[in-house]
Amino acid sequence: MHGSPDLSGGRMPQHVAIIMDGNGRWAKTRGLPRTAGHRKGVEAVRNIVKAAGDIGIRYLTLFSFSSENWQRPADEVGDLMQLLRFYLRGEIATLHKNGVRIRVIGDRSRLAPDIISLIENAESLTSGNTVLTLVIALSYGARQEIAVAARRLAEAAVKGLVDPAQIDEAMLSGALFTADIPDPDLLIRTSGEKRISNFLLWQIAYAEFVFVDTLWPDFTRRDLEDAIQEFCRRERRFGASVGTR
Ligand code: IPE
Ligand code: IPE
Ligand code: MG
């Protein structure tokens, strides 16, 4: 059954996170190089960002490149970085016009200087936008993020700025890249793989997971709406004995 998800009942996910997987397989089944899959994947990104804004999702996090993806062949990494440049240069104006605020999370120190500038410009240009926050996870690994947060808190403690006895969940959350972003309600992974691959480990404690077989380049607005409808059918309990939403 299709149709627009129910926007009325307070059941819409506020934050949807997506592990965009399957670009390589999409290309392989067509006898094309992996790059062709990544290029097609960027088109899907464009469509899904637009759809998310239209549907009324407030935060969309896209896993674009993991810390571990640096281990891929240099050619492929180069192609992915080139596509990122292309996306940031080509889409910023449209995203800004559509009220999208851009945030990039991950280890920037490994990125090329021109990409860092593009990211900084995109973030500052769009910082006042309120329709949709697009969080791009780039050179991102959740374990690294948590380790960095722990290090920051330890440094603050050594300086006497934080009392170790006061370190709690909220303080650790506040030391993550996602400090001011609510936790994802819905996590979608495409391509049939059923694993997390070091994505948002802390933040997905109570997310609902939807795994779909569709390869990312084939993922459409309708697939997003289906996943949201599946989310709306779930009963979230957060450890309590009755649904709390
Ligand atoms: C997802 O597609 C994109 C990135 C991880 C950058 P893959 O490149 O992982 O595609 P498959 O999983 O090999 O099909
Ligand atoms: C996860 O996909 C990372 C991104 C989608 C950016 P991978 O294709 O890298 O994950 P594994 O290797 O299948 O776990
Ligand atoms: Mg993959």
Side-chain angles (χ1 to χ4, degrees), residues 18-22 25 34 63-66 68-69 72 137 189 193 195-197:
I18 308 182
I19 302 174
M20 310 184 289
D21 199 13
R25 279 162 281 167
R34 293 178 64 82
F63 202 6
S64 306
F65 190 87
S66 74
E68 291 72 27
N69 289 150
R72 293 192 179 192
R189 182 169 187 149
E193 307 297 348
R195 56 177 170 263
I196 299 303
S197 302

Side-chain angles (χ1 to χ4, degrees), residues 156-177:
V158 166
K159 286 184 191 150
L161 300 171
V162 165
D163 174 0
Q166 288 179 329
I167 296 177
D168 59 5
E169 290 178 24
M171 204 181 280
L172 193 86
S173 289
L176 299 174
F177 293 128

